[in-house]
Every structure is written in C-alpha cells, then in structure tokens.
Amino acid sequence: MEKVPMRITYQRKIILEELKNLGNHPTVDEVYMVVKKRLPKISMSTVYRSLEVLSKNGFIKKIEPVDTQKRFDDNTSTHYHFYCKNCEKMKDAPLKPEMVKKLEKEIGAIEKIMEGNGYKVDGYTLEFFGTCKSCEQK
Amino acid sequence: MEKVPMRITYQRKIILEELKNLGNHPTVDEVYMVVKKRLPKISMSTVYRSLEVLSKNGFIKKIEPVDTQKRFDDNTSTHYHFYCKNCEKMKDAPLKPEMVKKLEKEIGAIEKIMEGNGYKVDGYTLEFFGTCKSCEQK
DNA sequence: ACGAAAACAATAATCGTTTTCAATTAAATG
DNA sequence: CATTTAATTGAAAACGATTATTGTTTTCGT
C-alpha cells in the first residue's frame, strides 16, 4: 500500500464521510450518488480518483477483481488460479492435489457455517496474484 | 451448470478445439485470434456466445469475477466478502474472527508453498457468492 | 499572500462485453 | 429426403464501467 502525496480537499473529506455512512462496500456509482447531494457539481471522475487515492493512502480498502476479463478453461475440475501481473496470464495455482483437497474441505466447512447463519452459498472464488515462476526467473 | 439446447456447429467445434490447444485459460480475445486463422469470417460475438454456451453445458469452465465493479470499504482490516446475486450487494462474510484467522493461516501456508515453487505471491482474493440472509428470508 | 503542484469539472475516449436484427443453418418432423 | 422451425450466425450498434484529456481552480509550503 504505497503512500502517495495527498491533499485533503473538501471533496475528499465528504467522499470519505459518505463512504463511512454508506457502510456496506458501495460501488463508485453509489458513492457518487450520495456525495452529489452535498456537492451537486462533483464529477464522476473526481469520485473515482479520490477513492483511488484514499485507498492508496490506507484510509479505505479497494475491493476489485484480480483480473476483470473473462477467461475459459478446458479443465472443468476444481482447482485454483494464479494471476501473474507481469505476463498477465492466468495459471493454475501450483499446488498438489492433496493441498487443493484440504483447502476445499476447509472452505467447504466455512460455507456450512455461513449456511447455518442464514446465507445460501452457491460457491466461491479463490485467486492468488503476484509474479509467476517463469517471469520471476528473469 | 444448467444444460441448454446446444447445436454442434462448425464454429463451436473449432472454438473448443482451439481452446484446448491454447491450454492456459485464455481470454475471449485470445481465442478469437487463433480461431480467426481457421475461420476468417467469424465474429467476436460468436466467440463470446459460443464460449458461454460451451461452459453452460459443461464442456469448459468459465473463470470470471464474482462482481466486476470496483467497490470500497471503510474497514481496512483483513476480512472476506459475500456477494449477494439477488440484491447485488457486497457484504462481509458472516464469520467469527477466529474462523477468519484460521482460514488466513491456512491460506498463508498455501502461499508459502507456492513461494517455495518459485512464485512470488503478492496476495489473494477469496469471495463467496449466493443469496444473503435478508434476501433469503423473503 | 504568492506561486508551483495537485486537484478539479466536464467531456471524450477506451475497454470488454452484450444486444439487435436480418440472413443462414442444424436438426427434428413428416 | 424435403420441409419446417428454432437456434445460430456475422455485422454493427449499444452498453456500462473506467480512464484520459483539457483547461480552470484550489491547496499549501514558503
């Protein structure tokens, strides 16, 4: 979470305030809509940039997919993925089948707990990211 | 994985073939580029639609984010999320702190293993999806 | 208070994906 | 095997989310 020079502008104060009011992980659009009530002239790009900066400086946390593009896999069995930020490829997580089995069981138990709490769990995604072996070797 | 009436068209045969050749989880665009060599007139939308249908029928597996939109969280500590497909809200996974701790440890160990395999692991995302409690109660 | 750097609003551009629609084709039916 | 009909196609436009650009305004160290 590398810090970045950040000015405390009026817009950013309000965006942070309203984000906290909203609670539950709002989308940028949701933040925009409530902030606009107090700052009718604010633009979407300001909200985007401000949220980005606030998260880079550790005030808030960004929730975003490891990779936004759709991908398709000819292997239909359960396994986990590793996204390499360098070559931008999605690889199979380099794990032995017994490790995958173990994790699957572990997470399955967690799902049961959530079901017990009144949630209906259809599934989950677990993706790792970083630099893959072949990129790392260079 | 609900089955859907599917015709085995020439395009689909070739898309499936080439997906298998490509191996590593290609994006739609990557599939399009190789398929175009054999079917110069094929359109992007056909590739999108075909991959979708092939995955709906269990021939291949779709890898996609639980939710594509960026979201922001005022809680900066580690915790997992649950995406409700009904109300389209991202909630905190309803798990006790000790459960989160345990999972974190478990997955941390997995990361170590991958690091031992020559990968540099920056992090991971774990997201559950389904129907949340309040939507389920209706 | 002054001036450089950062942030702003507005707008256009981009990216990945989905939709629309008329023409074509697979496969079920007679 | 010819006919029917419903699915599929290609081409193009539309789409939603995000980013880049532009000229103007604001913040904040000096």
Side-chain angles (χ1 to χ4, degrees):
Chain A
M1 186 217 308
E2 104 261 22
K3 285 241 167 39
V4 139
M6 181 181 73
R7 288 185 179 167
I8 300 149
T9 65
Y10 187 49
Q11 288 89 333
R12 288 176 183 176
K13 269 202 209 92
I14 295 192
I15 287 170
L16 187 54
E17 255 179 63
E18 293 300 332
L19 179 68
K20 283 179 191 292
N21 286 345
L22 280 167
N24 253 343
H25 323 92
T27 60
V28 178
D29 197 64
E30 284 166 350
V31 176
Y32 175 65
M33 296 211 287
V34 301
V35 167
K36 212 159 100 169
K37 288 179 190 163
R38 296 175 61 184
L39 304 173
K41 295 218 68 185
I42 202 167
S43 81
M44 198 64 186
S45 45
T46 298
V47 179
Y48 267 101
R49 267 180 286 119
S50 301
L51 289 169
E52 209 62 49
V53 164
L54 287 167
S55 75
K56 283 234 171 67
N57 286 77
F59 290 100
I60 60 178
K61 200 169 175 184
K62 177 161 57 162
I63 306 171
E64 67 176 344
V66 167
D67 175 47
T68 55
Q69 264 177 274
K70 277 191 178 145
R71 291 170 179 275
F72 292 86
D73 192 347
D74 61 312
N75 177 358
T76 57
S77 66
T78 303
H79 60 287
Y80 303 115
H81 295 120
F82 184 96
Y83 179 75
C84 177
K85 291 191 160 169
N86 185 251
C87 63
E88 299 178 353
K89 286 205 181 338
M90 188 72 79
K91 313 215 163 182
D92 289 341
L95 297 171
K96 298 216 173 62
E98 65 262 27
M99 260 297 155
V100 174
K101 281 264 187 321
K102 195 184 167 196
L103 241 193
E104 251 188 287
K105 224 183 109 192
E106 196 78 42
I107 298 178
I110 294 271
E111 290 183 319
K112 282 269 181 305
I113 293 175
M114 295 197 286
E115 299 256 358
N117 280 345
Y119 285 63
K120 167 83 174 44
V121 185
D122 294 339
Y124 67 92
T125 68
L126 171 58
E127 293 182 353
F128 299 88
F129 58 92
T131 317
C132 74
K133 193 174 187 169
S134 44
C135 286
E136 196 64 15
Q137 285 168 346
K138 289 162 197 165
Chain B
M1 186 213 310
E2 106 261 22
K3 287 242 167 36
V4 139
M6 181 181 73
R7 288 186 180 168
I8 301 151
T9 66
Y10 187 48
Q11 290 88 330
R12 288 176 183 177
K13 269 202 208 91
I14 294 193
I15 287 170
L16 188 54
E17 255 178 64
E18 293 299 331
L19 178 69
K20 283 179 193 292
N21 286 346
L22 280 168
N24 251 343
H25 325 91
T27 60
V28 178
D29 196 65
E30 286 165 349
V31 176
Y32 174 65
M33 297 212 286
V34 301
V35 167
K36 213 160 102 166
K37 288 178 188 162
R38 296 175 61 184
L39 304 172
K41 295 219 67 185
I42 201 167
S43 80
M44 198 65 182
S45 46
T46 299
V47 179
Y48 266 100
R49 275 176 306 207
S50 300
L51 289 169
E52 210 62 48
V53 163
L54 286 167
S55 74
K56 283 237 172 64
N57 285 77
F59 291 99
I60 60 179
K61 199 170 175 182
K62 177 161 55 161
I63 305 170
E64 67 175 346
V66 165
D67 175 45
T68 55
Q69 265 177 275
K70 276 188 180 146
R71 291 170 179 273
F72 292 87
D73 191 347
D74 61 313
N75 177 357
T76 58
S77 67
T78 304
H79 60 287
Y80 302 116
H81 295 121
F82 183 97
Y83 179 75
C84 177
K85 291 191 160 169
N86 186 249
C87 62
E88 300 178 353
K89 286 205 180 338
M90 187 74 79
K91 314 216 165 179
D92 289 341
L95 296 170
K96 298 217 173 62
E98 64 262 26
M99 259 298 155
V100 174
K101 281 264 187 322
K102 195 183 167 196
L103 239 193
E104 251 188 285
K105 225 183 107 192
E106 195 78 43
I107 298 178
I110 294 269
E111 291 184 318
K112 283 271 181 303
I113 293 174
M114 295 197 286
E115 299 255 358
N117 280 346
Y119 285 64
K120 167 82 173 48
V121 185
D122 294 339
Y124 67 93
T125 67
L126 170 59
E127 293 182 352
F128 299 88
F129 57 92
T131 316
C132 74
K133 193 174 185 169
S134 45
C135 284
E136 196 63 15
Q137 285 168 345
K138 288 161 198 167

